[in-house]
Amino acid sequence: MMDFFLKYWIGIDALYLFLAEMSGIAREKILVLTLDEWWQLDSETNIDHIDCLCTYQYMRGDAEAYISLYRMPFDEKTIAQQIMDYSMRNKIPCYVERLDGSYAGYYLTGVGEKPLAVEEYDEEADDITIYRFLSSEIQTDEPPQEIRREPYL
């Protein structure tokens, strides 16, 4: 299993494209469901042919979607690297967990020349968790680069 965040929601079709191109798994072997759809899935529904099961939830905070990947034929580090590489190539901002053992945190990918190390913290507001990510890199007096939302298809 591997989880990551999309800074901006890209839509179902673009998520299928992201997963297929990132992993090399054929589109017909990928299933994308909301978390509610996953829980409501009939136990008799045959998903044996699925090589990538993806659930998503909309989020509040610095990320708009929380993505969970299951059944992929790769280890967690390989999947994380594939997500980061695809994100950087296609300028799709993602928060990907750091799995290099250096510290618990995330990389913000797809917004610059290289991934930016960030740390997660949660805010509680009206019984809803809001995810925020703070840069752990040295800050300067320069204004932050504007991150533009662009269509991904």
Side-chain angles (χ1 to χ4, degrees), residues 73-88:
F74 312 106
D75 64 67
E76 197 173 54
K77 285 185 180 182
T78 301
I79 298 168
Q81 190 61 55
Q82 289 172 321
I83 293 167
M84 290 192 316
D85 291 346
Y86 189 83
S87 167
M88 295 297 289

Side-chain angles (χ1 to χ4, degrees), residues 82-101:
Q82 289 172 321
I83 293 167
M84 290 192 316
D85 291 346
Y86 189 83
S87 167
M88 295 297 289
R89 256 190 333 273
N90 294 282
K91 305 297 183 209
I92 299 173
C94 296
Y95 295 100
V96 182
E97 187 175 358
R98 289 182 69 163
L99 298 173
D100 58 9

Side-chain angles (χ1 to χ4, degrees), residues 25-137:
I25 296 173
R27 163 66 174 84
E28 59 273 4
K29 293 192 170 280
I30 298 171
L31 180 60
V32 175
L33 302 168
T34 65
L35 194 58
D36 288 339
E37 290 170 334
W38 167 246
W39 289 114
Q40 294 173 12
L41 199 63
D42 188 310
S43 63
E44 296 188 19
T45 302
N46 184 357
I47 58 172
D48 290 343
H49 66 287
I50 299 299
D51 288 339
C52 174
L53 174 62
C54 171
T55 63
Y56 69 92
Q57 302 174 67
Y58 297 114
M59 306 297 299
R60 289 178 50 188
D62 293 336
E64 291 183 0
Y66 179 68
I67 310 296
S68 295
L69 304 177
Y70 305 91
R71 302 181 72 159
M72 293 189 69
F74 312 106
D75 64 67
E76 197 173 54
K77 285 185 180 182
T78 301
I79 298 168
Q81 190 61 55
Q82 289 172 321
I83 293 167
M84 290 192 316
D85 291 346
Y86 189 83
S87 167
M88 295 297 289
R89 256 190 333 273
N90 294 282
K91 305 297 183 209
I92 299 173
C94 296
Y95 295 100
V96 182
E97 187 175 358
R98 289 182 69 163
L99 298 173
D100 58 9
S102 61
Y103 83 5
Y106 288 79
Y107 284 118
L108 172 58
T109 62
V111 296
E113 298 289 319
K114 62 179 186 160
L116 175 67
V118 295
E119 294 183 32
E120 171 194 11
Y121 73 96
D122 307 336
E123 293 178 9
E124 295 293 329
D126 299 324
D127 295 327
I128 296 174
T129 301
I130 300 173
Y131 289 89
R132 301 280 183 211
F133 296 89
L134 298 173
S135 172
S136 60
E137 293 191 2

